[in-house]
Amino acid sequence: MTRINKTILPLVSACLVGFSAHSDAQRYSDLFVDEQAYRDSDPLFFMQWHLQNTGQAAEAKNTGDVGNDINTTQAHVKRRILGESVNVAVVDSGLAIAHEDLIDNVLPGRSRNYIVGAADPTDPTPPRTESGGDHGTSVAGLIAARGFNGLGGRGVAPLARLMGFNWLENQSYESWLETHGGVGVTDDARIINQSYGFSPIWPVPFDSADNLQEEAHLANVTRRNNNGRGIVFVKSAGNSFSRLSNPASAFTFVREGTATGPLPWWCDFIPNDPRCQGSTTYTPDIIFSADARDATKTQAQSLPAQVAASEPSNASFYHTTISALSAGENSVEGQGDGDLLSSYSTVGASVWVSAHGGEYGEDNPAMVTTDIEGCNAGYAKTAATAAFNDGTHPLNTDCNYTSTFNGTSSAAPVASGVFALVFDANPNLSWRDAKDILAKTATKIGSNFKPIIVDTGLGDFVAEPGWLRNAAGYNFHNWYGFGRIDASAAVAMALSPNYRPLPAVQVTDFIPAQAGAASQIPEGPNGVVQAIVVRDALTVEAVQVKLSIRHGRDADLAVELVSPSGTTSMVLTPRSMYILDQGEPVERELQEALGTQTDFNDTVFLSNAFYGENSRGTWTLRVTDTNSGEFTFFGFERETREFTEITTSNNSRLGSITAASLRIYGH
Ligand SMILES: [Ca+2]
Ligand SMILES: [Ca+2]
Ligand SMILES: [Ca+2]
């Protein structure tokens, strides 16, 4: 089977244990003497609202919310935790290793260029002819642009050590291994940033040979590398809250009565095919949810087109999935209801925490970060539309920086920078300790969120309940995970002698649902319930649910998991764009190439909502068909820029669960 290529999550517009000398206030006193000097020592710092949100507009029309930042000031200024002892690998499109504001943090000779025939295999600097920006260069700047050097802005970890890998230009399994903890290449990275992914329109099986191979590798690396402390694999959730692409034109739809021109040759043989009766086949480039096209709905009233775990790596225990936040509540039109999610951010129960990714930098602030140097290349160049980027701005005359980077591609490196600060504060922490600290110190935001309810045609169904408080006392939200990252609180906990590291991880097998349970999924709000008994008494870190389901319209389905303590997690929100089964059957060759399918076959979802609860007891899985009426979504064609409404009728027969199981990761 061909691997599905991962793409950069593009700019949406176009990204105990010991504390030591680290608490010494004299540390780095040569870099800045006080908070004023701290602010002034990088000329673009005052624009970087994700580090210190003063309500600046960062060259956009609107301002952000004062204090809506990841709170780096205390960690940087008071504790002088700046990331210097930590290696971070940026696995991406490239990295301009000689950039004026990156070069001092780049580890010499440790980067890789995977393009065959590259002049210098240790230099992944993109060609200067790059028409767009270099995604990886901008990602790297958010992690560790050099601080306090009088140039540009700075990263979240302004002295952390960078290694760059243009894996996205190659995507072989060998280079994946090297860049994901491989010996002699990235094995000593504490953090590996992955600002890429894909957005499937069908349920992807978790147990493909490729994915199981990757999982086995990550399990090994997270247990063994860095003297058993592992590596944090930080992953972008996705940019598909409202729309996603139609990969390889897999989704086609027949429009009746609109055919023009001659009929296909094969109509002589199959005259009853609708395409031979005056119909045409329609293949959109992009799929939009109906909520996204409904002007009466705000984002806070809308369900996501993509659930994060729809991509198998976002359903993996070994990846830490990050959703994206805007600069302010009003950053998305129609908001102001306490919602801080970026307009594009994919969400779901597999999100760990949220960090800033901004909006587009025109109406509302985007991220300010490094760009390919010069006004002839990059996001910032002579022809750029944003005023900060076109070479005329006095602080960016050389076009070495951009004010329009965004995406969960930005949220992940912001989180990676915080992980670097945590490991710099306490190098003895494991990757799971660091995650634990981020969860424990995150800030609950968007507290006014109101549950999102859908009409099943047979009664209302709560499709996105919003914040929950689990039996271990953790707040969790499918949009924000445990909340917005607080870097200073995380560093303080990492330095605290009271912090107790987690014991070694334990993993159960996949435990099947009890035999003999009902499997047919009725229409309406009640669903079908199956019980899964877990005998191991672990403190839960994450739960995976594995499902095989036959159903005529996958997008109708909601999947909830209820723990023995009574916590309910919505692991698959309904009205997802799992729409492949509503179009024409996919050609066999394409099906084999992409691994597409129109049912759930060992599809895995992951939930972090049960963190800290006891695993022992009876878990309840509920699968609900939440739509007994028509389902509408929209196709968009790039060439014509036209939207086409697509309406499908209800599944003609009830669906059924053919297999269900769950697996606990914990200690
Ligand atoms: Ca700088
Ligand atoms: Ca440039
Ligand atoms: Ca249905």
Side-chain angles (χ1 to χ4, degrees), residues 371-381 389 398-401:
D371 184 56
I372 302 178
E373 289 185 311
C375 289
N376 60 348
Y379 303 117
K381 60 186 169 193
N389 287 0
D398 295 333
C399 308
N400 294 350
Y401 305 92

Side-chain angles (χ1 to χ4, degrees), residues 26-104:
Q26 293 306 305
R27 204 163 176 254
Y28 302 121
S29 57
D30 54 325
L31 293 177
F32 51 91
V33 293
D34 58 16
E35 193 169 330
Q36 186 64 44
Y38 165 79
R39 281 195 294 269
D40 294 346
S41 55
D42 288 298
L44 300 181
F45 172 78
F46 80 100
M47 290 174 67
Q48 293 184 296
W49 53 271
H50 65 289
L51 299 176
Q52 194 174 66
N53 199 328
T54 57
Q56 66 271 61
E59 297 293 319
K61 292 193 187 88
N62 302 322
T63 60
D65 296 349
V66 176
N68 172 30
D69 54 46
I70 57 156
N71 189 26
T72 45
T73 309
Q74 288 280 327
H76 287 174
V77 178
K78 297 284 189 307
R79 300 185 184 274
R80 307 268 161 161
I81 297 295
L82 302 169
E84 189 175 22
S85 65
V86 180
N87 294 353
V88 187
V90 179
V91 183
D92 211 292
S93 58
L95 202 162
I97 56 175
H99 188 287
E100 62 175 7
D101 209 17
L102 296 172
I103 187 168
D104 288 344

